[in-house]
Amino acid sequence: MTPSSDPRPTDHAAGTDPRPERAQLADALAQLGPAAPTILPGWDALELLDHLLLRERFWTLQLGGALPGPAGTALTQRKEAALDLPWEQKVALLREGPGRLSPAGRADALTGDLELLIHHEDLRRAQDGWRPRRVTAEVERAAWRGIGVFARLSLRVDARVTLVSPRGGKQVGPRLAEGSLRVHGEVLELLLWVTGRDEVARVQIQGDEAGLAALREGRRGI
């Protein structure tokens, strides 16, 4: 997972890739295959794709492992059957997108597919020779708008956190906390940091003693 200046097949070094994030992620999955690593502990590309398909297409089966007794067993079996598909077919389902009744599809429409953006980086940044990519201005605007939503869902740090990007500053976290932090980076890097991707997020963090202690004791991620 070491950054490099060497181009990767999925990089567009001369500029941004104008295609929708879904198309880019589907292409990367098709290219890298089911055994490709991700930065998510215990997940390879197959687990990542199964997660996305459950979220988008088979959301009614997601509770399979949580329900007790025969109902949970039956739901787990249905989930396993739904995901028992060839890799190429799974990628095609992701490329096609969620149905109109999918809760995830409606959520992604509001956030600009930021879930797909984050998971694409989970895949990209686990490959040897990865390097940060430039996203389109439209994607960057959506990420900057949506970063507050993801912070509310995933940021559990008892400090006043100010995110500083080329688009300006944005305060997240509890406003009455004792400590404070300033996190500097590009919008995509800040989005990855907020959601706990410390291993690969390229940010600079400044803070007072209380804020840095709160960061060490807190957590990020869903």
Side-chain angles (χ1 to χ4, degrees):
M1 289 180 289
T2 305
S4 167
S5 60
D6 295 334
R8 299 293 296 168
T10 52
D11 282 332
H12 290 254
T16 58
D17 188 338
R19 296 173 302 152
E21 196 63 32
R22 181 177 298 279
Q24 295 184 54
L25 175 54
D27 283 351
L29 288 164
Q31 178 186 42
L32 293 169
T38 77
I39 67 168
L40 302 172
W43 278 19
D44 57 18
L46 178 60
E47 276 85 13
L48 176 60
L49 181 52
D50 282 352
H51 162 74
L52 291 171
L53 292 180
L54 281 171
R55 176 180 177 269
E56 291 188 352
R57 287 185 167 261
F58 309 124
W59 68 92
T60 59
L61 306 178
Q62 285 184 302
L63 294 177
L67 295 178
T73 301
L75 205 57
T76 296
Q77 291 172 344
R78 288 177 57 197
K79 180 176 72 172
E80 291 173 351
L83 294 173
D84 187 18
L85 299 169
W87 175 252
E88 294 78 9
Q89 188 174 346
K90 288 184 177 184
V91 173
L93 286 175
L94 178 71
R95 193 185 300 278
E96 184 179 317
R100 63 183 182 87
L101 297 180
S102 168
R106 292 195 291 271
D108 288 346
L110 293 175
T111 65
D113 282 339
L114 294 190
E115 178 98 3
L116 297 178
L117 176 66
I118 292 168
H119 283 317
H120 189 185
E121 293 304 307
D122 290 337
L123 179 65
R124 286 186 69 256
R125 298 190 183 209
Q127 312 312 313
D128 289 337
W130 74 267
R131 57 178 177 174
R133 60 176 171 137
R134 297 205 304 269
V135 296
T136 65
E138 180 181 3
V139 169
E140 188 177 84
R141 283 194 297 270
W144 190 236
R145 286 195 305 268
I147 202 168
V149 174
F150 279 84
R152 287 192 292 274
L153 291 172
S154 62
L155 188 64
R156 298 292 181 268
V157 176
D158 191 18
R160 302 185 309 277
V161 179
T162 302
L163 305 175
V164 183
S165 82
R167 287 189 172 270
K170 183 171 298 208
Q171 188 168 4
V172 297
R175 296 181 179 275
L176 300 180
E178 180 180 347
S180 64
L181 296 166
R182 290 175 66 88
V183 187
H184 298 255
E186 297 292 332
V187 173
L188 178 54
E189 306 303 319
L190 293 172
L191 180 63
L192 295 175
W193 180 84
V194 161
T195 55
R197 273 74 175 173
D198 287 2
E199 186 179 357
V200 295
R202 291 186 167 186
V203 298
Q204 293 183 332
I205 301 173
Q206 301 169 340
D208 57 27
E209 185 175 342
L212 293 173
L215 180 60
R216 289 192 296 270
E217 296 166 3
R219 69 174 181 84
R220 280 159 292 124
I222 300 174

